[in-house]
Amino acid sequence: MSKNYFDRFKNDIAAFNKGENCRIYRFLGAHPQENGVEFAVWAPNADKVAVCGDFNGWDAEKNVMTMQEGIWYAFIENAKIGDVYKYEITKGNKKFKKADPVAFKSQLRPETGSVVAHIEEGKFVGVSKNKDIYNSPMNIYEIHIGSIFMDENGEFLNYRQIADKLVPYLVEMNYNFVEIMPLCEYPLDASWGYQITGYYSLTGRYGDAEDFRYFTKAMHDAGIGVIMDWVPGHFCRDDHGLREFDGGPLYESSNAKKADNPGWGTLNFDFTKPQVISYMISNAVFWLDCYGVDGLRVDAVANMLYHTFGKGDQPELKNVNGDYTNLEELLGKLLDWTEKDKINIALPSLRADNFSKELSERLASVRRSGLTFAPEAGTQRMRDVINKNITEEEILSAARKAFDGGWTSVKLYFMLGLPTETDEDIVAIAQLAQKVVEEFYRNPNKPKGKGVNVSVSASSFVPKPFTPFQWEAQDTPEML
């Protein structure tokens, strides 16, 4: 039977290991069959993996798995829907139990087991089937349903009860989308679902899969789309979850400083690993395909882009481009996908002090469009006020590198109405733009027969909370 599994899913497993499989839930996890259940899990560094659960008295030695290409597999004849299970993993002298990373159902806290369940693809279509959502306005109601819908005893309501109460309000208030905070399974109520252990498991706090499908259908019948908050950047450290899944860093980076997310007490996913990319892209598709969710609001994007998010200044985490981002990893993987289709990637508001020739060349590998740099202020005095720690020479140097790379279109982004701003600061914006133009014509490597296009974009300063300028007044439209 194991040979049959690896033959059946040979191409899927190969695509998974390349970071190119967007539906891993078709062959990983627990899949009920006519006379038993197939179990499969990715644990390439484990010495041994076995399945233990209700079906074998939690004796893992009865169902040791076989492994190919990093995937461990077992077929268990007497296992059935509703059985609780875990994987017992051996690495060296360590032996421990883990929940299934692709479990379609998980026990509700404080229990931590996975549950055999059946999942259907494409049973429900989204609201977009009968609506031109791309050319229609959106009015979104954001909600954490566990904070709003409770009974007189303080217990959570069921997805069906929530739908029956929520739909009339949304219709009355002319909302056409509802955005729900994360519904993947999570151990701590207080986290509101942003620290996840079961990415493919609907949280059981409010009911089961059929209850939630009732919720999405009720919304769709009323013309309301369903958006779910999705957390692909970091995961919960709980022992039964993804942390050191096969005895060492697997879903997280082996670089402890990159993996650690001290602000939230979580671990960051390592998107340099193709299997992790397959895991998360498949998870996004899973919620759209199996539960009729219409869209995902991606949480904590900055945490995925910057190695130092929430960690302060750590120069040892800089990448090859001199910045603190995952740029070379994300850009390289994206371009691997897009170059063959001649699709270009644009990066908005690059830091001028960290722009490199190597980055310029990779961005231009498909075609050159334009580059955007963000000085944000025209004078050094104003940049110092807003803690934009770049000099005019660094800005001009970035422009020279872009022109050396053959770029002829550059946009400069600034803000107006900054604290302590004067007329001289405004005039300096135009002066800086002119200096960038002059850099092009001084450049001996500029493209022959071409001119340069330097455009200026400006937005108004908006005070943001938890910043040094949170109490500053915002300029009125008349002042601007």
mmCIF file with all atom_site columns, all heavy atoms in Angstrom, residues 71 76-77 81 85 137 142 152 201 213 233 303 313 322 364 460 478:
data_model
loop_
_atom_site.group_PDB
_atom_site.id
_atom_site.type_symbol
_atom_site.label_atom_id
_atom_site.label_alt_id
_atom_site.label_comp_id
_atom_site.label_asym_id
_atom_site.label_entity_id
_atom_site.label_seq_id
_atom_site.pdbx_PDB_ins_code
_atom_site.Cartn_x
_atom_site.Cartn_y
_atom_site.Cartn_z
_atom_site.occupancy
_atom_site.B_iso_or_equiv
_atom_site.pdbx_formal_charge
_atom_site.auth_seq_id
_atom_site.auth_comp_id
_atom_site.auth_asym_id
_atom_site.auth_atom_id
_atom_site.pdbx_PDB_model_num
ATOM 1   N N   . ILE A 1 71  ? 8.878   12.346 2.999   1.00 0.00 ? 71  ILE A N   1
ATOM 2   C CA  . ILE A 1 71  ? 7.488   12.111 3.394   1.00 0.00 ? 71  ILE A CA  1
ATOM 3   C C   . ILE A 1 71  ? 7.371   10.741 4.050   1.00 0.00 ? 71  ILE A C   1
ATOM 4   O O   . ILE A 1 71  ? 7.807   9.732  3.491   1.00 0.00 ? 71  ILE A O   1
ATOM 5   C CB  . ILE A 1 71  ? 6.545   12.166 2.180   1.00 0.00 ? 71  ILE A CB  1
ATOM 6   C CG1 . ILE A 1 71  ? 6.703   13.483 1.410   1.00 0.00 ? 71  ILE A CG1 1
ATOM 7   C CG2 . ILE A 1 71  ? 5.096   11.963 2.625   1.00 0.00 ? 71  ILE A CG2 1
ATOM 8   C CD1 . ILE A 1 71  ? 6.268   14.707 2.140   1.00 0.00 ? 71  ILE A CD1 1
ATOM 9   N N   . ILE A 1 76  ? -3.579  2.622  7.886   1.00 0.00 ? 76  ILE A N   1
ATOM 10  C CA  . ILE A 1 76  ? -4.041  1.915  9.084   1.00 0.00 ? 76  ILE A CA  1
ATOM 11  C C   . ILE A 1 76  ? -5.481  1.480  8.855   1.00 0.00 ? 76  ILE A C   1
ATOM 12  O O   . ILE A 1 76  ? -6.390  2.316  8.723   1.00 0.00 ? 76  ILE A O   1
ATOM 13  C CB  . ILE A 1 76  ? -3.926  2.814  10.330  1.00 0.00 ? 76  ILE A CB  1
ATOM 14  C CG1 . ILE A 1 76  ? -2.463  3.268  10.503  1.00 0.00 ? 76  ILE A CG1 1
ATOM 15  C CG2 . ILE A 1 76  ? -4.419  2.085  11.575  1.00 0.00 ? 76  ILE A CG2 1
ATOM 16  C CD1 . ILE A 1 76  ? -2.230  4.210  11.662  1.00 0.00 ? 76  ILE A CD1 1
ATOM 17  N N   . GLU A 1 77  ? -5.693  0.179  8.803   1.00 0.00 ? 77  GLU A N   1
ATOM 18  C CA  . GLU A 1 77  ? -6.988  -0.370 8.391   1.00 0.00 ? 77  GLU A CA  1
ATOM 19  C C   . GLU A 1 77  ? -8.122  -0.046 9.350   1.00 0.00 ? 77  GLU A C   1
ATOM 20  O O   . GLU A 1 77  ? -9.225  0.258  8.912   1.00 0.00 ? 77  GLU A O   1
ATOM 21  C CB  . GLU A 1 77  ? -6.865  -1.889 8.223   1.00 0.00 ? 77  GLU A CB  1
ATOM 22  C CG  . GLU A 1 77  ? -6.132  -2.302 6.961   1.00 0.00 ? 77  GLU A CG  1
ATOM 23  C CD  . GLU A 1 77  ? -6.265  -3.785 6.693   1.00 0.00 ? 77  GLU A CD  1
ATOM 24  O OE1 . GLU A 1 77  ? -7.064  -4.448 7.377   1.00 0.00 ? 77  GLU A OE1 1
ATOM 25  O OE2 . GLU A 1 77  ? -5.565  -4.292 5.792   1.00 0.00 ? 77  GLU A OE2 1
ATOM 26  N N   . ILE A 1 81  ? -12.875 7.991  10.743  1.00 0.00 ? 81  ILE A N   1
ATOM 27  C CA  . ILE A 1 81  ? -13.220 9.391  11.011  1.00 0.00 ? 81  ILE A CA  1
ATOM 28  C C   . ILE A 1 81  ? -13.597 9.552  12.476  1.00 0.00 ? 81  ILE A C   1
ATOM 29  O O   . ILE A 1 81  ? -14.348 8.750  13.045  1.00 0.00 ? 81  ILE A O   1
ATOM 30  C CB  . ILE A 1 81  ? -14.377 9.843  10.096  1.00 0.00 ? 81  ILE A CB  1
ATOM 31  C CG1 . ILE A 1 81  ? -13.893 9.953  8.643   1.00 0.00 ? 81  ILE A CG1 1
ATOM 32  C CG2 . ILE A 1 81  ? -14.961 11.172 10.561  1.00 0.00 ? 81  ILE A CG2 1
ATOM 33  C CD1 . ILE A 1 81  ? -14.981 10.280 7.653   1.00 0.00 ? 81  ILE A CD1 1
ATOM 34  N N   . TYR A 1 85  ? -5.388  11.350 16.977  1.00 0.00 ? 85  TYR A N   1
ATOM 35  C CA  . TYR A 1 85  ? -4.070  10.772 16.695  1.00 0.00 ? 85  TYR A CA  1
ATOM 36  C C   . TYR A 1 85  ? -2.977  11.831 16.823  1.00 0.00 ? 85  TYR A C   1
ATOM 37  O O   . TYR A 1 85  ? -3.238  13.040 16.833  1.00 0.00 ? 85  TYR A O   1
ATOM 38  C CB  . TYR A 1 85  ? -4.040  10.164 15.289  1.00 0.00 ? 85  TYR A CB  1
ATOM 39  C CG  . TYR A 1 85  ? -4.093  11.187 14.170  1.00 0.00 ? 85  TYR A CG  1
ATOM 40  C CD1 . TYR A 1 85  ? -2.932  11.612 13.512  1.00 0.00 ? 85  TYR A CD1 1
ATOM 41  C CD2 . TYR A 1 85  ? -5.301  11.738 13.753  1.00 0.00 ? 85  TYR A CD2 1
ATOM 42  C CE1 . TYR A 1 85  ? -2.976  12.552 12.481  1.00 0.00 ? 85  TYR A CE1 1
ATOM 43  C CE2 . TYR A 1 85  ? -5.364  12.670 12.725  1.00 0.00 ? 85  TYR A CE2 1
ATOM 44  C CZ  . TYR A 1 85  ? -4.203  13.078 12.099  1.00 0.00 ? 85  TYR A CZ  1
ATOM 45  O OH  . TYR A 1 85  ? -4.246  14.012 11.092  1.00 0.00 ? 85  TYR A OH  1
ATOM 46  N N   . PRO A 1 137 ? -17.632 48.640 -5.251  1.00 0.00 ? 137 PRO A N   1
ATOM 47  C CA  . PRO A 1 137 ? -17.088 49.152 -3.989  1.00 0.00 ? 137 PRO A CA  1
ATOM 48  C C   . PRO A 1 137 ? -17.148 48.089 -2.901  1.00 0.00 ? 137 PRO A C   1
ATOM 49  O O   . PRO A 1 137 ? -17.979 47.172 -2.948  1.00 0.00 ? 137 PRO A O   1
ATOM 50  C CB  . PRO A 1 137 ? -18.003 50.337 -3.668  1.00 0.00 ? 137 PRO A CB  1
ATOM 51  C CG  . PRO A 1 137 ? -19.278 50.032 -4.385  1.00 0.00 ? 137 PRO A CG  1
ATOM 52  C CD  . PRO A 1 137 ? -18.892 49.298 -5.632  1.00 0.00 ? 137 PRO A CD  1
ATOM 53  N N   . GLU A 1 142 ? -15.211 44.309 10.093  1.00 0.00 ? 142 GLU A N   1
ATOM 54  C CA  . GLU A 1 142 ? -14.211 43.441 10.727  1.00 0.00 ? 142 GLU A CA  1
ATOM 55  C C   . GLU A 1 142 ? -14.704 43.021 12.100  1.00 0.00 ? 142 GLU A C   1
ATOM 56  O O   . GLU A 1 142 ? -15.211 43.843 12.874  1.00 0.00 ? 142 GLU A O   1
ATOM 57  C CB  . GLU A 1 142 ? -12.879 44.184 10.856  1.00 0.00 ? 142 GLU A CB  1
ATOM 58  C CG  . GLU A 1 142 ? -11.778 43.314 11.464  1.00 0.00 ? 142 GLU A CG  1
ATOM 59  C CD  . GLU A 1 142 ? -10.455 44.050 11.608  1.00 0.00 ? 142 GLU A CD  1
ATOM 60  O OE1 . GLU A 1 142 ? -10.447 45.272 11.335  1.00 0.00 ? 142 GLU A OE1 1
ATOM 61  O OE2 . GLU A 1 142 ? -9.461  43.419 11.995  1.00 0.00 ? 142 GLU A OE2 1
ATOM 62  N N   . GLU A 1 152 ? -25.598 33.695 27.645  1.00 0.00 ? 152 GLU A N   1
ATOM 63  C CA  . GLU A 1 152 ? -25.699 34.269 28.995  1.00 0.00 ? 152 GLU A CA  1
ATOM 64  C C   . GLU A 1 152 ? -24.727 33.637 29.983  1.00 0.00 ? 152 GLU A C   1
ATOM 65  O O   . GLU A 1 152 ? -24.433 34.214 31.044  1.00 0.00 ? 152 GLU A O   1
ATOM 66  C CB  . GLU A 1 152 ? -27.135 34.114 29.523  1.00 0.00 ? 152 GLU A CB  1
ATOM 67  C CG  . GLU A 1 152 ? -27.640 32.692 29.651  1.00 0.00 ? 152 GLU A CG  1
ATOM 68  C CD  . GLU A 1 152 ? -28.217 32.155 28.340  1.00 0.00 ? 152 GLU A CD  1
ATOM 69  O OE1 . GLU A 1 152 ? -28.072 32.827 27.304  1.00 0.00 ? 152 GLU A OE1 1
ATOM 70  O OE2 . GLU A 1 152 ? -28.813 31.052 28.371  1.00 0.00 ? 152 GLU A OE2 1
ATOM 71  N N   . SER A 1 201 ? -6.875  23.304 10.265  1.00 0.00 ? 201 SER A N   1
ATOM 72  C CA  . SER A 1 201 ? -7.998  22.936 11.126  1.00 0.00 ? 201 SER A CA  1
ATOM 73  C C   . SER A 1 201 ? -8.835  24.167 11.454  1.00 0.00 ? 201 SER A C   1
ATOM 74  O O   . SER A 1 201 ? -8.301  25.162 11.951  1.00 0.00 ? 201 SER A O   1
ATOM 75  C CB  . SER A 1 201 ? -7.488  22.329 12.445  1.00 0.00 ? 201 SER A CB  1
ATOM 76  O OG  . SER A 1 201 ? -6.838  21.106 12.230  1.00 0.00 ? 201 SER A OG  1
ATOM 77  N N   . ARG A 1 213 ? -19.588 26.094 7.107   1.00 0.00 ? 213 ARG A N   1
ATOM 78  C CA  . ARG A 1 213 ? -20.090 26.179 5.737   1.00 0.00 ? 213 ARG A CA  1
ATOM 79  C C   . ARG A 1 213 ? -21.504 26.785 5.728   1.00 0.00 ? 213 ARG A C   1
ATOM 80  O O   . ARG A 1 213 ? -21.877 27.484 4.784   1.00 0.00 ? 213 ARG A O   1
ATOM 81  C CB  . ARG A 1 213 ? -20.073 24.797 5.087   1.00 0.00 ? 213 ARG A CB  1
ATOM 82  C CG  . ARG A 1 213 ? -18.651 24.291 4.813   1.00 0.00 ? 213 ARG A CG  1
ATOM 83  C CD  . ARG A 1 213 ? -18.662 23.094 3.864   1.00 0.00 ? 213 ARG A CD  1
ATOM 84  N NE  . ARG A 1 213 ? -17.299 22.634 3.620   1.00 0.00 ? 213 ARG A NE  1
ATOM 85  C CZ  . ARG A 1 213 ? -16.773 21.554 4.176   1.00 0.00 ? 213 ARG A CZ  1
ATOM 86  N NH1 . ARG A 1 213 ? -17.482 20.830 5.020   1.00 0.00 ? 213 ARG A NH1 1
ATOM 87  N NH2 . ARG A 1 213 ? -15.530 21.189 3.906   1.00 0.00 ? 213 ARG A NH2 1
ATOM 88  N N   . GLY A 1 233 ? 3.124   34.350 8.552   1.00 0.00 ? 233 GLY A N   1
ATOM 89  C CA  . GLY A 1 233 ? 4.485   34.769 8.857   1.00 0.00 ? 233 GLY A CA  1
ATOM 90  C C   . GLY A 1 233 ? 5.126   34.076 10.039  1.00 0.00 ? 233 GLY A C   1
ATOM 91  O O   . GLY A 1 233 ? 6.336   33.873 10.065  1.00 0.00 ? 233 GLY A O   1
ATOM 92  N N   . ASN A 1 303 ? 6.584   41.621 9.190   1.00 0.00 ? 303 ASN A N   1
ATOM 93  C CA  . ASN A 1 303 ? 7.343   40.582 9.887   1.00 0.00 ? 303 ASN A CA  1
ATOM 94  C C   . ASN A 1 303 ? 7.943   39.582 8.907   1.00 0.00 ? 303 ASN A C   1
ATOM 95  O O   . ASN A 1 303 ? 9.026   39.038 9.144   1.00 0.00 ? 303 ASN A O   1
ATOM 96  C CB  . ASN A 1 303 ? 6.428   39.854 10.873  1.00 0.00 ? 303 ASN A CB  1
ATOM 97  C CG  . ASN A 1 303 ? 7.102   38.683 11.548  1.00 0.00 ? 303 ASN A CG  1
ATOM 98  O OD1 . ASN A 1 303 ? 8.043   38.850 12.305  1.00 0.00 ? 303 ASN A OD1 1
ATOM 99  N ND2 . ASN A 1 303 ? 6.640   37.478 11.252  1.00 0.00 ? 303 ASN A ND2 1
ATOM 100 N N   . ASP A 1 313 ? 18.157  46.833 16.413  1.00 0.00 ? 313 ASP A N   1
ATOM 101 C CA  . ASP A 1 313 ? 19.250  46.891 15.435  1.00 0.00 ? 313 ASP A CA  1
ATOM 102 C C   . ASP A 1 313 ? 20.162  45.674 15.595  1.00 0.00 ? 313 ASP A C   1
ATOM 103 O O   . ASP A 1 313 ? 20.827  45.511 16.604  1.00 0.00 ? 313 ASP A O   1
ATOM 104 C CB  . ASP A 1 313 ? 20.047  48.181 15.629  1.00 0.00 ? 313 ASP A CB  1
ATOM 105 C CG  . ASP A 1 313 ? 21.124  48.346 14.566  1.00 0.00 ? 313 ASP A CG  1
ATOM 106 O OD1 . ASP A 1 313 ? 20.870  47.922 13.422  1.00 0.00 ? 313 ASP A OD1 1
ATOM 107 O OD2 . ASP A 1 313 ? 22.193  48.886 14.881  1.00 0.00 ? 313 ASP A OD2 1
ATOM 108 N N   . GLY A 1 322 ? 22.403  44.712 1.848   1.00 0.00 ? 322 GLY A N   1
ATOM 109 C CA  . GLY A 1 322 ? 22.693  45.708 2.863   1.00 0.00 ? 322 GLY A CA  1
ATOM 110 C C   . GLY A 1 322 ? 21.486  46.107 3.670   1.00 0.00 ? 322 GLY A C   1
ATOM 111 O O   . GLY A 1 322 ? 21.544  47.034 4.468   1.00 0.00 ? 322 GLY A O   1
ATOM 112 N N   . ALA A 1 364 ? 15.636  43.883 -13.200 1.00 0.00 ? 364 ALA A N   1
ATOM 113 C CA  . ALA A 1 364 ? 15.551  44.161 -14.634 1.00 0.00 ? 364 ALA A CA  1
ATOM 114 C C   . ALA A 1 364 ? 15.610  42.900 -15.478 1.00 0.00 ? 364 ALA A C   1
ATOM 115 O O   . ALA A 1 364 ? 15.646  42.978 -16.701 1.00 0.00 ? 364 ALA A O   1
ATOM 116 C CB  . ALA A 1 364 ? 16.682  45.104 -15.038 1.00 0.00 ? 364 ALA A CB  1
ATOM 117 N N   . SER A 1 460 ? 0.450   63.500 2.150   1.00 0.00 ? 460 SER A N   1
ATOM 118 C CA  . SER A 1 460 ? 0.416   64.330 3.358   1.00 0.00 ? 460 SER A CA  1
ATOM 119 C C   . SER A 1 460 ? 0.793   63.521 4.589   1.00 0.00 ? 460 SER A C   1
ATOM 120 O O   . SER A 1 460 ? 0.476   62.332 4.696   1.00 0.00 ? 460 SER A O   1
ATOM 121 C CB  . SER A 1 460 ? -0.973  64.936 3.544   1.00 0.00 ? 460 SER A CB  1
ATOM 122 O OG  . SER A 1 460 ? -1.946  63.921 3.667   1.00 0.00 ? 460 SER A OG  1
ATOM 123 N N   . GLU A 1 478 ? -6.462  72.935 3.222   1.00 0.00 ? 478 GLU A N   1
ATOM 124 C CA  . GLU A 1 478 ? -6.168  74.303 2.805   1.00 0.00 ? 478 GLU A CA  1
ATOM 125 C C   . GLU A 1 478 ? -4.696  74.637 3.019   1.00 0.00 ? 478 GLU A C   1
ATOM 126 O O   . GLU A 1 478 ? -4.057  75.283 2.159   1.00 0.00 ? 478 GLU A O   1
ATOM 127 C CB  . GLU A 1 478 ? -7.047  75.281 3.597   1.00 0.00 ? 478 GLU A CB  1
ATOM 128 C CG  . GLU A 1 478 ? -8.523  75.219 3.278   1.00 0.00 ? 478 GLU A CG  1
ATOM 129 C CD  . GLU A 1 478 ? -9.210  73.994 3.880   1.00 0.00 ? 478 GLU A CD  1
ATOM 130 O OE1 . GLU A 1 478 ? -8.643  73.400 4.829   1.00 0.00 ? 478 GLU A OE1 1
ATOM 131 O OE2 . GLU A 1 478 ? -10.291 73.614 3.389   1.00 0.00 ? 478 GLU A OE2 1
#
